[in-house]
Amino acid sequence: MFEGQPRGLFALALANTGERFGYYTMLAVFVLFLQENFGWSAGLAGTYYSTFLMFVYFLPFIGGILADKFGYGKMVKIGISVMFLGYVLLAVPLGNGGAAVGAVIGALALISIGTGLFKGNLQVMVGDLYASPEMASKRDSAFSLFYMAINIGALFAPTAAVEIMKYAQKSLGFEKADSYHFAFGVACISLIISILIYFATRSTFRQVEGGHTAVAASDKGKTVATEPELSKEDTKARIVALCLVFAVVIFFWMSFHQNGLTLTYFARDFVATQSTGIEAMLFDVTNLVMVIVAIYASFAVAQSKTSKGRIIATAVTLLCAAGIVYKGLTMGEQTVEVSAPIFQQFNPCFVVGLTPVSIAIFGWMNKRGIEPSAPRKIAYGMLVAAIGFCVILAASIGLETPDAQKAAIEAGQQVNRVSPQILVYTYLVLTFAELLLSPMGISFVSKVAPPKYKGTIMGGWFVATAIGNLLTVIPAMLWGAVPLTYVWGVLAGLCLLSFLFIFSQMKKLEKVA
């Protein structure tokens, strides 16, 4: 899985991990902060959330155009600096008046602009490490590893946000609304770490910071190859195929990014606030990390080329397994608090844990000539996403509408809540969809995009994502008097229709893949 990958991949992935940790720490509590601090409705908070995400994913299109002209590395460095200023502004407690609202808007603008310069261009640099024929076969696995690194940052973000807020309230005496600013402060620190990583490891990827060149065969970047230009017909065919994919992923991101919106509302109002026994182990991030380490160590046992490596990997696997069993036996009937933001740890946890599994499966299929093409993986991802929302739809049958549930909670009445496992299962299925669609989509774009438009086309991927993020507000607007089954049914239906559409266009897509 890691063998044969250039060092630049790991350097860029680490730099991105720090940035993503800060981003997801902020995002884990963002809509809850807006409601708690300003008293906004679910719809208004959702409008800010969706508009922010729209700009976060639209502005990489502009960032890509600028990078095609001025260089990827330059835009990445400017972008991460601008993002830092945005998080600093969020971290300053200004109350709940007009100045505070203005500061939030200004902070979101800076974070959006910074992300626009940073995110897409960093991914173009990763793709350019694999432009040579010798490295091309490792592109899909490289983007899976890169995507995994993103989610390592996201895995710890919800716990960091929750714990720093608890510390601010219990140890420092801050009010709940003010404690959110401490979570935003964590994001500032993570950006500093990301900046330091980027500059400390720059020598491993310096060769892809500039224009339309990419490393050929050398990890050290001593050999550089220029990609050939395409004919007008080939360029057109590729752009058409990419636009078809962009049209479909709009609805995936509209659905998937409910994790910080309606799925968070659901976690707060409809999921049990406590968990007991073995189930409670899910809400301790150290247990999740032990499981992840055990998975990777197990693969190392099979893939290690030396007996010493196999012995060490076996020992790590057994040690993690023993730790999990011990914690399970000593858990007893201990009860833990389950807060809404903590559920956002499960998606990145599943991504990190399942990435080596997916790479192994697709590697096995590739050797036998039966691996699905990237467009087919994207299509299957949409189908799996539809199934994911069917899981939570089934669990929502018989529950009150959000308005009725909120009124009952405020009145101190007993309300029906579902097991936390329901939301965990939903995130698990959605993660399968994400692994099929997101890294494969980015890989497909980096491979198919005409060389002279790479930055712009990668920006196009983010424009599609931006449109999907803007549409995330639709379920939030439905959140109120409408039954939950309608909310989840809309999302499941859109994912299913997208699956059918992309399958109908498969010949065009596979022709250029």
Side-chain angles (χ1 to χ4, degrees):
M1 180 170 61
F2 298 101
E3 187 176 356
Q5 299 289 358
R7 288 174 293 174
L9 169 66
F10 304 108
L12 291 170
L14 280 174
N16 204 41
T17 298
E19 184 272 328
R20 291 289 89 182
F21 174 79
Y23 176 77
Y24 284 109
T25 299
M26 182 273 281
L27 212 61
V29 298
F30 182 59
V31 293
L32 300 178
F33 164 72
L34 295 180
Q35 290 193 294
E36 183 75 27
N37 194 66
F38 300 110
W40 290 351
S41 67
L44 181 56
T47 299
Y48 270 71
Y49 173 88
S50 62
T51 304
F52 167 59
L53 287 188
M54 184 272 288
F55 280 112
V56 161
Y57 286 92
F58 171 76
L59 290 176
F61 177 68
I62 306 299
I65 294 173
L66 293 173
D68 283 338
K69 185 174 183 180
F70 299 110
Y72 305 119
K74 184 179 293 185
M75 294 301 104
V76 165
K77 286 176 281 188
I78 294 173
I80 200 167
S81 302
V82 173
M83 271 190 284
F84 174 75
L85 296 177
Y87 287 123
V88 168
L89 195 55
L90 270 184
V92 178
L94 296 174
N96 54 13
V101 174
V104 167
I105 293 172
L108 297 182
L110 289 170
I111 295 170
S112 300
I113 293 169
T115 305
L117 296 173
F118 177 88
K119 188 175 176 64
N121 292 319
L122 196 78
Q123 292 178 176
V124 171
M125 289 165 64
V126 172
D128 278 353
L129 292 173
Y130 298 86
S132 69
E134 303 96 304
M135 299 299 294
S137 63
K138 296 183 180 293
R139 182 187 296 267
D140 282 0
S141 61
F143 273 100
S144 291
L145 291 171
F146 182 79
Y147 203 73
M148 179 191 71
I150 291 174
N151 283 276
I152 289 175
L155 169 60
F156 295 99
T159 297
V162 169
E163 293 303 320
I164 195 67
M165 287 175 62
K166 286 181 180 178
Y167 175 77
Q169 293 172 51
K170 294 179 180 179
S171 300
L172 302 179
F174 282 86
E175 297 293 331
K176 184 177 180 181
D178 290 332
S179 67
Y180 285 101
H181 297 286
F182 283 80
F184 301 144
V186 170
C188 296
I189 297 171
S190 71
L191 262 292
I192 294 173
I193 295 172
S194 186
I195 292 170
L196 293 175
I197 291 172
Y198 184 92
F199 283 100
T201 61
R202 193 178 174 196
S203 62
T204 65
F205 56 79
R206 189 186 297 268
Q207 72 276 9
V208 293
E209 282 190 311
H212 312 300
T213 57
V215 69
S218 172
D219 182 15
K220 297 180 180 179
K222 294 180 179 177
T223 306
V224 175
T226 301
E227 296 182 72
E229 294 295 334
L230 302 172
S231 67
K232 290 184 178 180
E233 293 75 17
D234 286 342
T235 298
K236 181 180 178 180
R238 291 188 179 204
I239 292 176
V240 168
L242 289 164
C243 288
L244 291 173
V245 171
F246 294 164
V248 167
V249 300
I250 286 173
F251 297 104
F252 175 77
W253 293 119
M254 172 190 174
S255 305
F256 182 79
H257 279 147
Q258 296 303 316
N259 57 354
L261 198 54
T262 56
L263 289 174
T264 294
Y265 294 156
F266 184 82
R268 180 190 61 194
D269 298 335
F270 290 94
V271 174
T273 58
Q274 293 183 328
S275 182
T276 305
I278 299 298
E279 180 190 78
M281 293 179 65
L282 291 169
F283 300 96
D284 183 344
V285 72
T286 59
N287 295 329
L288 303 180
V289 170
M290 283 195 290
V291 172
I292 291 170
V293 172
I295 291 172
Y296 279 80
S298 298
F299 274 90
V301 172
Q303 296 175 354
S304 179
K305 295 181 178 179
T306 65
S307 58
K308 181 180 179 181
R310 286 191 291 271
I311 292 171
I312 294 174
T314 301
V316 172
T317 304
L318 294 175
L319 186 62
C320 290
I324 294 167
V325 171
Y326 173 77
K327 293 192 73 172
L329 293 175
T330 57
M331 192 73 186
E333 293 303 309
Q334 181 180 344
T335 298
V336 300
E337 179 185 350
V338 178
S339 58
I342 205 67
F343 282 95
Q344 292 193 49
Q345 73 182 1
F346 291 109
N347 168 247
C349 168
F350 294 142
V351 169
V352 176
L354 293 174
T355 291
V357 178
S358 67
I359 290 176
I361 291 172
F362 288 132
W364 178 85
M365 296 176 75
N366 181 268
K367 289 179 180 179
R368 287 156 181 78
I370 57 173
E371 182 182 9
S373 64
R376 285 185 184 272
K377 291 175 185 176
I378 293 170
Y380 295 145
M382 296 305 302
L383 178 61
V384 174
I387 295 171
F389 283 103
C390 287
V391 171
I392 196 168
L393 187 154
S396 299
I397 296 173
L399 294 177
E400 298 282 357
T401 64
D403 281 352
Q405 187 84 345
K406 181 180 179 181
I409 292 172
E410 291 177 350
Q413 299 174 4
Q414 192 75 18
V415 294
N416 291 328
R417 291 179 179 267
V418 301
S419 166
Q421 294 181 47
I422 296 298
L423 200 47
V424 175
Y425 295 150
T426 300
Y427 277 121
L428 176 61
V429 179
L430 290 177
T431 300
F432 282 123
E434 183 186 10
L435 287 172
L436 284 167
L437 191 144
S438 189
M440 295 304 105
I442 296 171
S443 176
F444 179 73
V445 171
S446 72
K447 176 183 178 182
V448 174
K452 65 181 179 180
Y453 299 124
K454 273 191 175 181
T456 305
I457 294 295
M458 184 60 78
W461 167 269
F462 289 111
V463 168
T465 309
I467 296 171
N469 288 329
L470 184 62
L471 296 178
T472 59
V473 73
I474 293 175
M477 291 296 186
L478 295 175
W479 195 267
V482 175
L484 291 173
T485 51
Y486 290 12
V487 177
W488 312 133
V490 167
L491 295 168
L494 288 172
C495 290
L496 182 59
L497 289 174
S498 298
F499 161 73
L500 295 174
F501 171 77
I502 197 170
F503 237 87
S504 70
Q505 305 295 316
M506 195 57 64
K507 287 185 178 179
K508 292 180 182 178
L509 296 171
E510 291 187 327
K511 186 177 180 180
V512 301

